[in-house]
């Protein structure tokens, strides 16, 4: 009859073998996920793409606590209603530093394909909130109206009206009207730079800087390589969505070449504000974003163009769990902080490419990828277990 010691030893052996087997499954699964239809991606990118495409994450899901830094709040949050030129109002949200006054003002235009159901001030609240903290600025998230109910030019007029409102009321809420910047991602990146064009053309408020995160810059049928290679939707933006957005937002084909829909097609871009243009390797909008940065530089605009390899469209939204996303958000905050204090010097166009994670953070990034992978496999396994009432 086996002793208790032998039973414990046998049980421990089975436990160790089981854990090793589970670890091997996680490692192999993540390894397989890194091989995507258009090339190999880093483990962290792979697990996030896998999670999105298997409906294992939702828009309101919070990151695990060990990914989130805690601390005392340094700003307040306020819901706003901004009047626009057609007599109606749009919603907005303002984050304002608790201490000090005469803060720079940032208007943030969210992404979402210009269409209802794809993005709003809530889906991008994490970016807006963190941008306020990292720049110590007043950040206003603009809830511009979207298609199909409100096609072009509603979104650009709302966005411009929000700029004018922020300029006119800046001193009332502790802002500095001489330091106003615009930031946007994807469709919002288009709006941010279009608002800059409108301010220039209409002799409106001076925009100190524009930060464009993987922006859409043309509605024209330009054969960019990135549009063909990464347009399936696996990298979080599909050709079908882009076509639907164009048909909904700009149903009149004659508007596709206008500078206020397609700033890449603008006759000239002189006297535009200094720009940061961030693009992602696995993104159908990559090439047009970089082409726009180059055109800005060709027209004398100080531009920093930065491509992140190994990531997909919208990667900065995952900054809480993705190192490259956090790095991109830091670069955005650094750029804005610098421009608010001194004008950047013009340099000929050069695309800076960020290839990977610093060595000091590489192990953590890999470990987190496998931790998330383990979590996702667990969720998938649970979803396959039938539950009875």
């Amino acid at each position: 009859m086996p002793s208790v010691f032998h039973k414990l030893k046998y049980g421990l052996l089975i436990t160790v073998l089981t854990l090793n087997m589970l670890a091997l499954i996680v490692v192999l699964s993540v390894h397989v996920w890194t091989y995507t239809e258009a090339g190999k991606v880093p483990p962290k990118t792979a697990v996030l793409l896998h999670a999105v495409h298997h409906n294992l994450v939702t828009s309101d899901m919070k990151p695990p606590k060990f990914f989130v830094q805690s601390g005392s709040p340094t700003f307040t949050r306020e819901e706003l209603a901004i009047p626009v030129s057609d007599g109606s109002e749009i919603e907005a949200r303002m984050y304002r530093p608790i201490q000090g006054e005469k803060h720079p003002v940032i208007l943030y235009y969210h992404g979402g394909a210009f269409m209802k159901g794809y993005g709003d001030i809530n889906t991008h609240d994490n970016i807006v909130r963190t941008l306020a903290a990292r720049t110590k600025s007043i950040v206003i998230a603009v809830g511009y109206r979207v298609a199909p109910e409100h096609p072009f030019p509603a979104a650009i007029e709302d966005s411009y009206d929000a700029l004018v409102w922020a300029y006119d009321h800046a001193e009332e809420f502790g802002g500095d009207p001489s330091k106003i910047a615009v930031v946007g991602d994807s469709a919002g990146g288009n709006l941010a730079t279009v608002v800059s064009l409108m301010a220039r053309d209409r002799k409106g408020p001076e925009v100190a800087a524009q930060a464009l995160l993987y922006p859409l810059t043309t509605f024209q049928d330009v054969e960019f390589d990135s549009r063909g290679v990464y347009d399936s939707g696996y990298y979080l933006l599909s050709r079908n969505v882009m076509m639907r957005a164009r048909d909904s937002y700009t149903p009149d084909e004659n508007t596709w070449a206008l500078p206020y829909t397609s700033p890449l097609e603008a006759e000239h871009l002189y006297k535009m504000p200094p720009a940061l243009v961030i693009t992602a390797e696995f993104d159908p909008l990559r090439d047009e974003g970089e082409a726009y940065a180059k055109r800005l530089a060709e027209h004398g605009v100080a531009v920093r163009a930065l491509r992140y390899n190994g990531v997909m469209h919208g990667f900065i939204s995952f900054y809480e769990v993705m190192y490259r996303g956090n790095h991109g958000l830091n670069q955005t905050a650094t750029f804005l902080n610098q421009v608010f204090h001194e004008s950047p010097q013009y340099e000929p166009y050069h695309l800076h490419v960020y290839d990977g994670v610093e060595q000091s953070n590489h192990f953590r990034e890999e470990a987190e990828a496998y931790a998330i992978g383990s979590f996702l496999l667990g969720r998938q396994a649970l979803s396959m277990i039938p539950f009875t009432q």
Side-chain angles (χ1 to χ4, degrees), residues 357-375:
V357 179
E358 282 84 353
Q359 191 62 38
S360 59
N361 292 295
H362 181 76
F363 177 78
R364 175 179 175 178
E365 188 80 350
E366 294 276 321
E368 289 178 356
Y370 291 114
I372 297 173
S374 178
F375 170 75

Side-chain angles (χ1 to χ4, degrees), residues 108 124-135 183 211 213-214 276 278 306 308 315-320 322-337:
Y108 191 92
H124 291 67
D125 187 66
N126 63 333
I127 295 179
V128 174
R129 187 176 63 248
T130 302
L131 200 58
R134 296 185 185 181
T135 62
V183 183
L213 315 180
Y214 26 87
L276 169 70
I278 289 181
L306 180 57
Y308 282 84
F315 73 100
I316 288 178
S317 288
F318 298 95
Y319 76 91
E320 291 155 307
M322 177 176 271
Y323 181 84
R324 290 172 176 84
N326 190 52
H327 191 280
L329 192 53
N330 270 337
Q331 289 292 307
T332 304
T334 298
F335 165 76
L336 293 169
N337 286 331

Side-chain angles (χ1 to χ4, degrees), residues 51-105:
V52 170
H53 288 284
H54 288 80
N55 297 315
L56 299 172
V57 295
T58 59
S59 60
D60 60 349
M61 182 177 290
K62 302 299 182 182
K65 289 185 178 180
F66 61 85
F67 288 121
V68 182
Q69 294 182 350
S70 60
S72 301
T74 58
F75 46 80
T76 61
R77 167 175 158 167
E78 181 180 350
E79 305 301 320
L80 305 173
I82 296 178
V84 292
S85 52
D86 68 357
S88 58
E89 294 180 332
I90 59 172
E91 65 175 347
R93 179 175 295 151
M94 179 168 64
Y95 285 98
R96 181 166 44 172
I98 293 174
Q99 298 181 341
E101 55 184 18
K102 297 285 286 184
H103 297 287
V105 179

Side-chain angles (χ1 to χ4, degrees), residues 9-77:
K9 184 177 180 181
Y10 178 74
L12 180 61
L13 177 62
I14 293 299
T15 301
V16 171
L17 290 175
T18 301
L19 291 175
N20 285 338
M21 182 61 68
L22 291 174
L24 180 61
I25 291 172
V26 171
V27 171
L28 290 177
S29 297
V30 172
H31 180 73
V32 170
W33 299 343
T34 62
Y35 288 91
T36 68
E37 58 191 29
K40 194 172 186 290
V41 301
K44 183 66 75 66
T45 302
V47 296
L48 291 174
L49 288 172
H50 179 84
V52 170
H53 288 284
H54 288 80
N55 297 315
L56 299 172
V57 295
T58 59
S59 60
D60 60 349
M61 182 177 290
K62 302 299 182 182
K65 289 185 178 180
F66 61 85
F67 288 121
V68 182
Q69 294 182 350
S70 60
S72 301
T74 58
F75 46 80
T76 61
R77 167 175 158 167

Side-chain angles (χ1 to χ4, degrees), residues 144-218:
Y144 57 89
R145 290 172 293 179
V146 295
E149 185 177 355
H150 300 285
F152 177 85
I156 66 166
E157 294 296 344
D158 288 353
S159 298
Y160 180 75
D161 287 342
L163 170 69
V164 174
W165 180 90
Y167 176 82
D168 290 341
H169 296 270
E171 294 182 352
E172 296 174 20
F173 52 74
D176 184 346
S178 70
K179 295 181 179 180
I180 298 182
V182 293
V183 183
D185 67 280
S186 194
N190 175 283
L191 292 174
T193 199
V194 166
V195 164
S196 300
L197 276 167
M198 295 170 74
R200 181 199 68 181
D201 297 345
R202 297 179 179 183
K203 299 184 179 357
E206 183 176 353
V207 177
Q210 53 178 327
L212 316 178
L213 315 180
Y214 26 87
L216 184 156
T217 65
T218 180

